[in-house]
Amino acid sequence: MSLSPFHLAIPVYDLPGARAFYGEVFGLQEGRSSAHWVDFNFYGHQLVIHEQPKTASQESVHSNPVDGHDVPVPHFGIILGWQEWEALAERLKSFGTEFVIEPYIRFKGQVGEQATMFLFDPCGNALEFKAFKDMSQLFAK
């Protein structure tokens, strides 16, 4: 399956802190920037952090129950290869990352079994990273 890169712009109220988080903790390559925004190569996609006052979703987290966990809404992320996901989980742990949902296997033994983890960036944007051992189950019911 061939995918087109997506473009996602998210609000951050602490541009230097968010820049360090995405650049240093995740090791993302920085692209163009200005005094108010920064582009990052987010696993082949364009993630832009834009300086903006704190939003309602950054002030107060909403969540929905999924597989016994409270999943923050809204959130975004990427689906990685299994080994890439494991390496990222270890990298995040090495930086002392506080997870909202610790890395674990969701729907274990069921259709759509996946590795997942949730965390917040320094500005309260929720991120999810997941992996499937069987990518054909990405949209399985």
Side-chain angles (χ1 to χ4, degrees):
M1 164 171 38
S2 174
L3 297 175
S4 298
F6 67 75
H7 164 83
L8 177 65
I10 62 169
V12 297
Y13 54 83
D14 175 5
L15 189 65
R19 181 182 227 158
F21 178 78
Y22 287 101
E24 295 169 19
V25 175
F26 281 99
L28 301 181
Q29 179 185 3
E30 190 174 308
R32 289 175 298 208
S33 65
S34 82
H36 303 284
W37 56 268
V38 181
D39 283 348
F40 286 100
N41 177 349
F42 188 72
Y43 302 93
H45 303 280
Q46 187 183 48
L47 173 65
V48 187
I49 57 173
H50 278 276
E51 192 170 48
Q52 173 184 321
K54 197 178 277 190
T55 66
S57 66
Q58 292 167 327
E59 288 277 352
S60 169
V61 177
H62 175 78
S63 64
N64 286 325
V66 178
D67 192 37
H69 294 274
D70 291 326
V71 170
V73 177
H75 65 264
F76 73 96
I78 196 84
I79 299 169
L80 301 169
W82 199 270
Q83 291 178 336
E84 205 176 2
W85 181 89
E86 289 176 327
L88 177 60
E90 289 307 312
R91 179 183 178 102
L92 293 172
K93 288 176 185 177
S94 77
F95 275 88
T97 300
E98 185 176 322
F99 293 94
V100 177
I101 299 174
E102 293 280 334
Y104 85 107
I105 307 304
R106 176 191 286 164
F107 308 129
K108 194 168 188 115
Q110 301 175 46
V111 172
E113 180 177 339
Q114 59 196 258
T116 189
M117 61 182 137
F118 283 83
L119 60 139
F120 288 107
D121 75 7
C123 297
N125 295 297
L127 293 95
E128 177 184 18
F129 294 89
K130 50 170 78 176
F132 292 80
K133 282 196 175 172
D134 180 356
M135 279 300 289
S136 72
Q137 293 196 357
L138 180 63
F139 298 107
K141 293 182 179 183

